[in-house]
Amino acid sequence: MGNSGSAVKVCTDHQGGINWLSLSPDGQRLLTGSEDGTARLWSTADSQCHGHFQGHESYITFCHLENEAAFTCSADHTIRKWDVVTGQCLAIYRGHTSIVNRILVAKDYLFSGSYDRTARCWSVDKEKQIQEFRGHRNCVLTLAHYSSRDVLEEEEEEEEEEEKVSRDLLVTGSTDCTVKVWWVSSGRCYQTLLGHTGAVLCLILDAPNRELFSGSTDYTIRTWNIVTGEQLKVFKEHQGSVICLELVNRHLYSGSADRTVKCWFVDTGERIQTYKAHKHSVSTLKYHAGILFTGSGDACARAFNSRSGVLQKIFRGHKFIINCIQIHNELLYTASHDGTLRVWDIRGICKRNKRRPKKERSVQGRSSQKGSLARLFNNKVGCMIQQENGEHEAVELM
């Protein structure tokens, strides 16, 4: 058993569960989006609340933080942009006809996915819808974005004359069991990836290697060639829905409703480690400095040695599912459906792991090219389900 840790700070300002936690690129701020319909801005320097964004007419499902602007989406069918200094609402993006559960900001684009079965692209600055992506038969749950410049050779690009004005592509995962790849400029579907038999809950994109990873309620993770649409591998050992993914140096970490995280070597498909000890679903995970941090439906966060699988610490204090975690300056931030944001000191764990062999450090060092991608695909909104044995377990809806 790992040692138990207590939070160095507990932030209780929200009046409802926190559904998502976003860290700004410069690491100076955190943004929380809540069931109370508001978002709050926090300083990583003192963990104090420095902004309160009010205006949504229903709960916030997801949020995204840039250095100068914050974005929130809601069950009120809208997306809002906020000034992080003044707290002023700068834009309201209207058009979806149901809950907006995911947003993604890339370049000058704002992408959104909704229960109305569509994804949409908006101009960040002009408060204007640029494109609608229609073709899924059910909810759009997760998004990824890349440029064809990152994955296509010059001769392959020549074949796509229609799309040469814009080479951006959007990837969407849906409860209709499919993943679709779309040209942003035209809204045309470039690929439909077929194989899953359950809802697609999470995506991880490795553009330099032309690979996409998808996790599903069918208990599998699938790897796809993002250019050809070919299914490359199927990872089948989980015994429950695959809720979250993290990719670090060709090692894929998958968190599941089966109460475990598994580590896979992508090149061979081999499962090389299983991280146990969770009492409920694994709702979120993040790799940092040789340590795998997890958040669970059992209201605990945990730290595992990523190489050995040994549980090093349990972070107790939350009362309900942990929906999201972030790490900055050797502090762990956990956001929970109990409405609190908790801050934990992880310097001791990080210091111990720095003594590990060079091989472990090199894994993390070569992951920098993909480090910012994983945080886009982890949002989950919690609920309780009753199992056959009568027990109640916290799980993820999206």
Side-chain angles (χ1 to χ4, degrees), residues 83-369:
D83 187 303
V84 299
V85 176
T86 67
Q88 178 185 1
C89 181
L90 302 175
I92 303 176
Y93 307 88
R94 305 180 191 273
H96 281 296
T97 58
S98 189
I99 297 170
V100 184
N101 59 72
R102 187 62 55 93
I103 51 177
L104 187 161
V105 178
K107 300 181 181 178
D108 296 324
Y109 297 130
L110 168 64
F111 298 98
S112 56
S114 169
Y115 274 79
D116 66 11
R117 305 183 182 185
T118 72
R120 299 179 192 230
C121 177
W122 316 78
S123 168
V124 168
D125 297 324
K126 296 181 180 179
E127 201 172 343
K128 175 184 175 184
Q129 181 176 306
I130 298 173
Q131 195 58 257
E132 180 178 328
F133 309 93
R134 187 174 291 274
H136 281 297
R137 299 188 308 279
N138 216 321
C139 313
V140 178
L141 295 183
T142 184
L143 307 170
H145 166 270
Y146 68 99
S147 170
S148 63
R149 295 174 186 269
D150 299 331
V151 299
L152 295 178
E153 302 294 342
E154 288 186 11
E155 60 271 19
E156 292 173 313
E157 285 191 308
E158 291 298 325
E159 298 174 6
E160 302 293 344
E161 291 293 335
E162 176 190 346
E163 315 297 341
K164 290 202 72 173
V165 176
S166 172
R167 292 168 173 162
D168 292 284
L169 294 105
L170 176 69
V171 187
T172 56
S174 169
T175 53
D176 68 8
C177 310
T178 71
V179 176
K180 288 181 179 287
V181 184
W182 314 80
W183 286 106
V184 171
S185 59
S186 67
R188 183 170 67 89
C189 184
Y190 171 62
Q191 297 277 2
T192 297
L193 311 182
L194 302 173
H196 282 297
T197 58
V200 179
L201 299 182
C202 48
L203 297 171
I204 284 285
L205 180 65
D206 181 3
N209 289 303
R210 298 181 164 200
E211 289 180 341
L212 178 74
F213 303 86
S214 55
S216 170
T217 59
D218 65 10
Y219 302 0
T220 72
I221 306 150
R222 293 169 193 259
T223 311
W224 314 85
N225 182 303
I226 200 67
V227 177
T228 66
E230 177 188 2
Q231 182 176 285
L232 303 176
K233 293 185 182 69
V234 182
F235 305 88
K236 291 184 175 180
E237 292 191 27
H238 277 299
Q239 301 301 308
S241 298
V242 178
I243 295 169
C244 48
L245 296 171
E246 175 96 328
L247 180 64
V248 183
N249 190 54
R250 308 302 289 166
H251 288 74
L252 182 69
Y253 299 88
S254 55
S256 171
D258 68 9
R259 309 182 182 189
T260 72
V261 176
K262 294 184 184 293
C263 177
W264 316 81
F265 186 50
V266 170
D267 293 339
T268 64
E270 177 189 5
R271 193 263 304 154
I272 55 180
Q273 190 59 262
T274 298
Y275 309 86
K276 301 179 181 179
H278 307 95
K279 296 179 181 178
H280 290 287
S281 304
V282 178
S283 48
T284 182
L285 54 83
K286 191 167 288 291
Y287 176 97
H288 175 75
I291 309 162
L292 182 68
F293 292 90
T294 65
S296 172
D298 63 16
C300 293
R302 291 173 172 81
F304 296 87
N305 180 289
S306 63
R307 189 177 181 186
S308 68
V310 172
L311 177 62
Q312 295 186 314
K313 201 173 192 68
I314 304 174
F315 304 89
R316 293 188 174 94
H318 283 296
K319 296 179 180 178
F320 197 55
I321 184 172
I322 296 174
N323 284 325
C324 190
I325 58 179
Q326 294 287 354
I327 298 167
H328 180 68
N329 280 350
E330 298 190 340
L331 289 174
L332 171 69
Y333 299 87
T334 57
S336 168
H337 216 69
D338 65 12
T340 68
L341 171 67
R342 291 175 183 256
V343 188
W344 316 80
D345 189 338
I346 57 172
R347 285 175 296 180
I349 307 173
C350 293
K351 188 177 295 184
R352 287 199 300 274
N353 277 269
K354 284 178 181 177
R355 304 190 193 109
R356 299 292 172 185
K358 291 182 179 179
K359 181 178 179 181
E360 179 68 15
R361 290 198 295 268
S362 68
V363 168
Q364 192 248 348
R366 292 200 298 271
S367 71
S368 58
Q369 64 179 350

Side-chain angles (χ1 to χ4, degrees), residues 13-143:
D13 301 53
H14 278 296
Q15 302 302 306
I18 300 174
N19 288 330
W20 189 244
L21 171 66
S22 179
L23 177 68
S24 63
D26 62 13
Q28 294 184 14
R29 298 181 178 95
L30 289 159
L31 180 69
T32 50
S34 171
E35 292 280 321
D36 65 15
T38 73
R40 289 182 179 269
L41 193 69
W42 311 82
S43 168
T44 54
D46 58 12
S47 300
Q48 294 296 318
C49 181
H50 291 274
H52 188 205
F53 305 146
Q54 298 175 302
H56 280 295
E57 297 176 3
S58 188
Y59 62 90
I60 293 174
T61 57
F62 191 85
C63 59
H64 174 81
L65 184 58
E66 294 292 323
N67 292 334
E68 298 180 355
F71 298 85
T72 56
C73 61
S74 169
D76 68 7
H77 308 178
T78 71
I79 306 149
R80 288 178 179 248
K81 177 183 177 182
W82 312 84
D83 187 303
V84 299
V85 176
T86 67
Q88 178 185 1
C89 181
L90 302 175
I92 303 176
Y93 307 88
R94 305 180 191 273
H96 281 296
T97 58
S98 189
I99 297 170
V100 184
N101 59 72
R102 187 62 55 93
I103 51 177
L104 187 161
V105 178
K107 300 181 181 178
D108 296 324
Y109 297 130
L110 168 64
F111 298 98
S112 56
S114 169
Y115 274 79
D116 66 11
R117 305 183 182 185
T118 72
R120 299 179 192 230
C121 177
W122 316 78
S123 168
V124 168
D125 297 324
K126 296 181 180 179
E127 201 172 343
K128 175 184 175 184
Q129 181 176 306
I130 298 173
Q131 195 58 257
E132 180 178 328
F133 309 93
R134 187 174 291 274
H136 281 297
R137 299 188 308 279
N138 216 321
C139 313
V140 178
L141 295 183
T142 184
L143 307 170

